[in-house]
Amino acid sequence: MSDGPFDVFALIIAIIAFIIAIKASSQAAGLRRRLSSLEEMFYAQRQVQPPPLMPAPPMRAEAPAATSEAPPPLAPDAEALPPPVTEDVSPPPLEASTEADAPPPLPAPAPGFEERLGTRWVVWIGGLALALGGFFMVRYSIEAGLVGPGVRVFLGGVFALALLGAGEWSRRKESISNIAALPIANIPAILTAAGTAVAFATIYAAYVLYGFLVPATAFVLLGLVALGTLAAALLHGPALAGLGVVGAFVTPILVTSGKPDYWALYIYLAIVTAASFGLARIRLWRWLAVTTIAFAVLWIFPGLDTSDLQVAPHAFHVIAGFVLAALLVVCGFMFGPTIEDGEIEPVSSNSLGAYLFGAMLIVLSSAHADLALIAFTLLVGATLLVAWRAPAATSALGAAAATVFIVFAEWAVRANPDMLVLPGGPLAGIAPTATDSAVTLHLVMAAVFAAGFGIAGFLAQGRSNSAIIPVVWSAAAVATPIAILVALYARIAHLDRSIPFAILAVLLAAAFGAATEALARRETRPGGKISTALFATGTLGALALALTFALEKGWLTIALALMSLGTAWISMQRPIPFLRWLAAIFAGLVTARIGYDPRIVGDAVGTTPIFNWLLWGYGLPAASFWAASLFLRRRGDDAPLRMVESAAILFTTLLAFMEIRHFATGGNMTDAPSLLECALQVCVTLAMAIGLERLRLRSRSIVHNVGAVVLTAIGGLVSVFGLLILENPLLWRTDVGGAVFNLLMLGYALPAVLMLLLSYAVAGQRGKAYANTIAGGALLFALAYVTLEIRRFYHGPILSTGATTGAEQYTYSIGWLGFGVVLLGVGILVNSERARLASAAVIALTILKAFVIDMSTLTGVYRALSFMCLGIVLVAIGWLYQRILFRRQVAPPPAPQTSI
């Protein structure tokens, strides 16, 4: 490492310290002047007040005469006066009144920025500069060759002793002086901390760099320094502890070596960790324990990215740290602090979880070396033991379960056993025996972990008065075996069909089922219902996995959906809120699964329309989610129910869309869309929107409400952009089929009918504009169908070719006019104002066509017939409106009068 960063760092510290010292000195005079003015004001106020105590006899004689309300001392009826009168002038009341009249003492002003700068920060930076100065002096002496190794070590020891002696001397001087030391910026503590750090560095350099000390001697000396730091921190407070720990952990960085010795490093760190944990335990400094753990975990990373990773010293580091944390940090275990029964303490759990994380990193970085796996297994087992004995560390079970899953999942992804069965044999450098051994060791570990978590989680039920502790145990007992089984299945069976793994899943389901029955028969204990529900959910999950393993890999989607249904059903039997969320989580997992592969089984969907893998992969989950939503709705409308209902609508819609796509493309789902596909999608979407509109009136579900609107919007977008623009047979060459039963009926007539039904379904339930917009779409598509059918009559199945004749233009006018008349007749028969308005719109469009298009394009008899028919129809319409809709009764004429 170059000297540039250290020299610049030291220079910056020196400049900052010098500037701060000057600033502090310039402010000292102002502070003294303020103090003098406050003292003068205080004494001036005290001089105008009476003295706190006065001679007792004169006060007893004169005090009654001073008050007009008090009786004379020698009155004839003095004996009739109540005795307490003479007590009113006693010293206690006078003393109390005097103190009441005295002004309250001035509050001590809070330290300002300048005071903190000059009295605290300067001290801290000065202590750091002293420690760095010692380190840099050693480096400079080495690089310049001024002194030999022995002299360097000797001078380092002398400097450390000088700092320690100065710290102790200043502490004793402060203790016998009248000046109160600052509680945070304690100069003795800073000096002692700097001396401790230099002592650590000196002994470490003498052992690692120069070989003056054998490991045993270095171990003893470092232990003595650690114990000395512990004792000094007990006297000097947390400032020394913090700086001492930071300096001890940073020392190996400052005093470097060309060839690192990880054994020496981790033995040194173990001693430092023990001293720090011991101090944190004695003084109950949680922050010190957390800081130590953070530094210890960071020291795991050096050497992990090298090809020649030394597993043994790294494993020693995490094991030693784990043991020390369990002994001294975990509350309620061995020498740790006491804690209330049933309470989970975060530092206790996180301390174990941190070292489990380090052990996991060693396993992953060493490519699952045997020694790393053994060390990791020991720590996981120790975590179960500590959590069993000390409930404060129960949260560490989650970390243990997570790291176990990560290790096995990474092993499943990393390993590739197919190379063992290649025709040419195993690849160079990979021995079958070594790989077989690794597989065997992983299988043994998997069995140990599954049995350990499962049995311990079951036996832990009923041991605690807290509800959360048995729940954590049961969650770990259920999740860990299932996660391990899935990882092994992916690693060994490659997610293919495997009867042995299906048998293992059935056995696991049987174990969870037996645990569920045993817990259900017990008396009610805190957390017992939730734990029973978790084991029941594990039973369903294991059975779903058995189906997945025994059948094709696409059944995993179905299995997860069935787990959601089963969990919802269990929530009916045992109304636990967690189970409702679990059902929603399973629904989310299935949704994520189809996002990864929408075809569920890749290219193996099949070519059979409807009855293919899409029907099972989307239909069964959709049915499961609909049934689960019915179970969940019986207990109320909440977020989990809405998530499951959303999944039900999503899978139903995707089932329809994917089946339509499969049918329209003949199984090749990568083809471009077509008129047939867009027509079927619009029809199915509108039909589902009608169904949701009816369903929401009964369920009052916001999901059904929003789902209906979304499906209506999707149907409208596909109708406009798909049927009218992108796949319009007038614009693109498309074979529409036969004369009557063709794609035009499917793509335009049927959507028009469905839009009309949807408009009536929302009438009176939603806004009027919303219903009228849908009705307008129905009118547009009906008119489009009439127009395209006329085009089909003249041009055949290909509508985009051929010229438009006069007869065709005349037929368009007649067709539109007839369509308008039909709408008017329907409106009159059913008394529908909406149908009559639609008729008026179509007839108005026909009139516009006659005067704009027919007049300019038609000639001869077609022009005459067009206008003649239009005139006849308009007159007939007027007659209908006058005679039927708006008929007015005419009064009969008066009868003639006859004269008599």
Side-chain angles (χ1 to χ4, degrees), residues 762-782:
V762 301
Q765 304 297 329
R766 298 189 185 273
K768 190 174 182 180
Y770 184 83
N772 290 339
T773 301
I774 299 174
L779 177 63
L780 175 63
F781 271 77

Side-chain angles (χ1 to χ4, degrees), residues 147-524:
V147 293
V151 178
R152 298 168 195 164
V153 174
F154 174 75
L155 292 178
V158 171
F159 185 58
L161 292 176
L163 289 174
L164 293 173
E168 180 62 19
W169 177 83
S170 59
R171 185 187 69 84
R172 296 188 178 186
K173 293 294 290 183
E174 282 187 353
S175 63
I176 63 176
S177 64
N178 294 327
I179 301 176
L182 292 174
I184 298 178
N186 197 345
I187 293 177
I190 300 297
L191 293 175
T192 307
T196 302
V198 174
F200 271 118
T202 302
I203 299 174
Y204 182 76
Y207 168 56
V208 176
L209 298 181
Y210 309 121
F212 292 157
L213 303 175
V214 297
T217 306
F219 181 85
V220 171
L221 291 178
L222 290 174
L224 291 176
V225 174
L227 294 177
T229 305
L230 173 62
L234 292 174
L235 296 175
H236 292 277
L240 175 61
L243 291 179
V245 168
V246 173
F249 276 102
V250 173
T251 293
I253 299 178
L254 299 178
V255 184
T256 58
S257 175
K259 184 179 180 181
D261 186 351
Y262 287 105
W263 274 113
L265 171 65
Y266 288 137
I267 290 175
Y268 164 78
L269 293 179
I271 298 173
V272 173
T273 302
S276 180
F277 281 168
L279 176 59
R281 169 63 187 91
I282 294 175
R283 299 300 295 270
L284 297 179
W285 288 337
R286 294 158 56 98
W287 63 268
L288 183 58
V290 173
T291 304
T292 304
I293 294 170
F295 275 110
V297 172
L298 290 177
W299 269 112
I300 299 174
F301 288 93
L304 289 182
D305 57 345
T306 59
S307 58
D308 56 342
L309 172 61
Q310 301 179 24
V311 177
H314 284 77
F316 166 78
H317 177 56
V318 294
I319 292 176
F322 184 94
V323 171
L324 291 173
L327 293 177
L328 300 174
V329 176
V330 176
C331 297
F333 184 79
M334 299 298 289
F335 306 105
T338 58
I339 195 173
E340 294 292 333
D341 184 26
E343 182 178 352
I344 297 179
E345 201 272 325
V347 176
S348 301
S349 301
N350 294 333
S351 61
L352 302 183
Y355 288 104
L356 284 171
F357 173 75
M360 179 196 71
L361 292 180
I362 297 173
V363 172
L364 303 183
S365 300
S366 64
H368 295 249
D370 291 350
L371 182 58
L373 289 174
I374 293 173
F376 177 73
T377 304
L378 291 176
L379 290 190
V380 173
T383 302
L384 294 176
L385 176 62
V386 174
W388 180 275
R389 176 64 179 79
T394 303
S395 294
L397 294 173
T403 53
V404 167
F405 173 72
I406 292 174
V407 166
F408 278 92
E410 197 271 347
W411 177 64
V413 174
R414 174 193 294 268
N416 186 9
D418 294 338
M419 65 181 64
L420 298 176
V421 294
L422 291 177
L427 299 181
I430 300 179
T433 303
T435 308
D436 293 341
S437 174
V439 173
T440 302
L441 181 58
H442 280 81
L443 292 178
V444 173
M445 288 175 52
V448 171
F449 287 150
F453 277 93
I455 296 174
F458 173 74
L459 296 178
Q461 304 304 312
R463 297 182 65 249
S464 176
N465 295 325
S466 174
I468 187 62
I469 291 178
V471 171
V472 174
W473 275 103
S474 59
V478 171
T480 306
I482 291 179
I484 292 175
L485 185 61
V486 172
L488 292 179
Y489 169 69
R491 165 63 176 80
I492 298 175
H494 296 278
L495 301 180
D496 290 331
R497 186 169 175 265
S498 175
I499 298 300
F501 274 100
I503 295 175
L504 289 177
V506 170
L507 294 177
L508 185 61
F512 286 152
T516 303
E517 290 299 322
L519 293 177
R521 290 193 298 266
R522 292 183 181 181
E523 60 180 4
T524 304

Side-chain angles (χ1 to χ4, degrees), residues 633-699:
R633 179 163 291 280
R634 296 178 184 179
R635 295 287 182 179
D637 189 352
D638 54 3
L641 170 63
R642 295 171 184 175
M643 294 174 63
V644 175
E645 287 180 339
S646 300
I649 296 174
L650 175 64
F651 270 78
T652 304
T653 305
L654 291 178
L655 171 64
F657 282 6
M658 297 298 288
E659 286 286 10
I660 290 171
R661 178 117 180 104
H662 182 274
F663 172 77
T665 58
N668 188 10
M669 303 180 68
T670 59
D671 290 350
S674 61
L675 177 61
L676 174 62
E677 181 179 351
C678 290
L680 290 174
Q681 287 180 350
V682 169
C683 293
V684 172
T685 304
L686 294 175
M688 289 190 296
I690 294 173
L692 284 181
E693 289 289 351
R694 298 299 185 187
L695 180 60
R696 77 179 183 90
L697 298 179
R698 292 183 298 173
S699 65

